[in-house]
Amino acid sequence: MKRILFIAGMMAAIMAACNGGSSRSWDETALDNARIQIGLQIDSVEGLGEQFNNPTSIQEDGSVLYCDVTDWRSGFFPGTVWYLYELTGDSMLVPYARKYTEAVADAQYLKWHHDVGFMVGSSFGNGYRLTGDSAYALAVVEAARSLSTRFRPNAGIIQSWDVTPGSEREAKGWACPVIIDNMMNLELMFEATKLSGDSSFYDIAVSHADRTLKEHFRPDGSCFHVIDYDTITGDVRHRHTAQGCAHSSAWARGQAWAIYGYTVAYRNTGNKAYLEQAVKTFEFVRNHPNMPEDKIPYWDFDAPGIPDEPRDASAATVIASALYELSTYVADGRSVDYVEYADEIMKSLSSDNYTARPGENGRFILMHSVTSKPAGVEIDVPLNYADYYYLEALKRRRDLMKSAGSVGEADH
Ligand code: GLY
């Protein structure tokens, strides 16, 4: 694998951008830019040596943060390269996508937190979808087995985090915390049942989605971040937050995970209650008085310093990607409306306000995301999952345009 290949690919993207000039549509420009930036990232990763350095964010000194395989974000860079391959058709990307995916193979055996759905779904799941490689399917099923070990039958949920003696979680009084983010791990369970024929993964996913639907949501459609359960009685012990500004607040990425998670749950079950929840939570965020005009949310809708609070581009990418899918499940008038709303998010993200210049921003595509403001961790930084869901959204949009027969019509 040679750096020169990427330089050739980047040159092609740059030439396309220059030749097209102002006639290129925003989504074409977005893809040109992604190709250049991710090409530079691959080039840099390859330059670091044989062992995979997995780009995740940037640190306070401006250097790139590389995560290890146990980090919940370890599948996103491999997945980003799969999506870039899918969007560009550039087969030179495949060996890199394979190499980075296989480098995170140990994630399928991880049992001490719930994020294997993110980790293995974005890497092996996309790899299987795009190559049909049966070894990748086996990894998806193995990961579902690992995640199943965290199912707590009396509460009917998959436990998100362990609570170890002396930990901060123990100090908060938690016994079995489940975060709304966990809805994102269910896609892996649904896929694993399709691949293996073992319905237990599907059953666990449905149980988790049903209990979460009952316990995580407020009457206005917003959701709590953390629900803490008693694993013996199955009762709720606490309704808390971890990354939001208050237990009662609407942490932006949590709302995004809920919209996306219930859209996926509806796709896999046909349960209208899931669809209604996805719509209700989306309507909550779109109508929230603190949703900015450019539709990139602040990190928490109730953050006390709004408008002087950081935005969270990652939440926006997740909402946009979910909306393109959700638009296909709602009635006609609303369907167009949802696509338009997602397009507005994507145009904002693709502007200079959020898209970094080539070679800057640690070679990540998007700027301005937040991991955890309360913990003071990664505030107003690039995050690899913002890039991942941004490319996924571009891909979903392109699929929608194709099926509507309007591909090639420039939308400025
Ligand atoms: N699942 C972790 C996060 O959204 O920050």
Side-chain angles (χ1 to χ4, degrees):
M1 288 184 269
K2 294 275 179 289
R3 309 176 95 193
I4 193 75
L5 298 181
F6 269 99
I7 293 168
M10 281 190 304
M11 286 310 290
I14 292 165
M15 293 296 285
C18 293
N19 290 338
S22 60
S23 69
R24 285 181 84 65
S25 58
W26 68 265
D27 54 322
E28 289 170 328
T29 304
L31 184 54
D32 290 342
N33 188 72
R35 191 172 178 175
I36 293 166
Q37 196 73 328
I38 300 304
L40 287 170
Q41 193 69 284
I42 292 172
D43 209 12
S44 167
V45 166
E46 292 301 306
L48 291 170
E50 252 325 283
Q51 201 185 339
F52 176 44
N53 286 271
N54 195 340
T56 307
S57 183
I58 57 175
Q59 309 185 83
E60 277 178 22
D61 65 3
S63 62
V64 173
L65 172 75
Y66 300 97
C67 72
D68 76 22
V69 68
T70 66
D71 191 300
W72 78 277
R73 303 167 290 187
S74 65
F76 290 121
F77 186 67
T80 295
V81 181
W82 283 120
Y83 273 130
L84 189 62
Y85 160 59
E86 191 172 11
L87 280 159
T88 61
D90 183 350
S91 58
M92 282 193 304
L93 290 161
V94 174
Y96 297 99
R98 280 190 173 277
K99 178 179 162 184
Y100 304 153
T101 293
E102 288 158 24
V104 299
D106 281 352
Q108 69 192 284
Y109 305 110
L110 191 147
K111 297 187 179 71
W112 56 269
H113 65 70
H114 67 149
D115 286 315
V116 288
F118 282 110
M119 298 152 86
V120 175
S122 53
S123 52
F124 285 91
N126 279 311
Y128 176 68
R129 190 174 58 77
L130 292 168
T131 67
D133 188 330
S134 57
Y136 290 2
L138 291 178
V140 169
V141 176
E142 188 61 40
R145 267 188 216 112
S146 298
L147 189 55
S148 299
T149 66
R150 302 187 66 78
F151 184 60
R152 308 291 175 248
N154 293 354
I157 48 75
I158 299 166
Q159 180 166 352
S160 292
W161 296 328
D162 288 350
V163 181
T164 49
S167 65
E168 199 184 319
R169 290 172 191 153
E170 188 190 52
K172 287 177 173 169
W174 297 344
C176 174
V178 175
I179 57 175
I180 189 65
D181 323 29
N182 205 342
M183 282 301 299
M184 297 295 287
N185 292 310
L186 303 188
E187 186 164 16
L188 178 99
M189 301 294 266
F190 290 125
E191 289 307 313
T193 286
K194 287 180 213 154
L195 291 168
S196 68
D198 180 346
S199 59
S200 70
F201 306 128
Y202 180 99
D203 293 343
I204 288 174
V206 167
S207 173
H208 184 94
D210 284 345
R211 189 77 203 265
T212 299
L213 191 66
K214 185 161 178 271
E215 309 295 357
H216 257 86
F217 291 92
R218 308 181 181 112
D220 63 6
S222 70
C223 62
F224 290 94
H225 185 198
V226 184
I227 302 293
D228 179 43
Y229 292 95
D230 184 318
T231 55
I232 310 295
T233 65
D235 293 342
V236 170
R237 300 175 71 249
H238 300 104
R239 287 189 167 80
H240 278 181
T241 195
Q243 283 155 268
C245 69
H247 295 327
S248 60
S249 76
W251 173 52
R253 198 162 54 249
Q255 313 312 305
W257 295 142
I259 297 164
Y260 192 119
Y262 277 99
T263 301
V264 170
Y266 174 69
R267 182 210 308 156
N268 283 282
T269 63
N271 183 343
K272 283 262 162 44
Y274 298 163
L275 176 61
E276 281 161 18
Q277 189 59 62
V279 167
K280 193 169 177 186
T281 305
F282 170 61
E283 294 295 336
F284 168 82
V285 302
R286 82 171 320 176
N287 293 315
H288 199 287
N290 286 338
M291 176 60 97
E293 208 170 313
D294 69 1
K295 302 186 170 40
I296 312 301
Y298 297 99
W299 66 280
D300 189 307
F301 284 92
D302 302 299
I306 288 173
D308 300 318
E309 294 275 1
R311 305 295 188 92
D312 182 16
S314 76
T317 62
V318 174
I319 294 170
S321 186
L323 267 188
Y324 285 127
E325 179 173 1
L326 193 54
S327 74
T328 66
Y329 303 141
V330 293
D332 270 0
R334 207 193 277 165
S335 173
V336 173
D337 178 37
Y338 280 17
V339 171
E340 284 175 359
Y341 195 96
D343 279 355
E344 284 182 50
I345 295 174
M346 292 298 285
K347 285 179 196 171
S348 292
L349 291 170
S350 304
S351 74
D352 293 348
N353 293 338
Y354 296 94
T355 290
R357 285 205 294 247
E360 297 185 0
N361 194 44
R363 300 171 293 279
F364 295 94
I365 302 167
L366 297 177
M367 306 181 280
H368 305 314
S369 292
V370 176
T371 289
S372 176
K373 185 131 190 277
V377 175
E378 295 165 1
I379 299 163
D380 196 13
V381 292
L383 290 169
N384 63 0
Y385 48 98
D387 288 3
Y388 174 85
Y389 288 105
Y390 176 70
L391 290 194
E392 183 182 80
L394 278 180
K395 184 252 168 204
R396 288 180 169 188
R397 180 179 188 276
R398 194 182 64 179
D399 289 350
L400 278 181
M401 298 300 132
K402 263 191 196 156
S403 64
S406 62
V407 79
E409 282 173 23
D411 167 14
H412 303 285

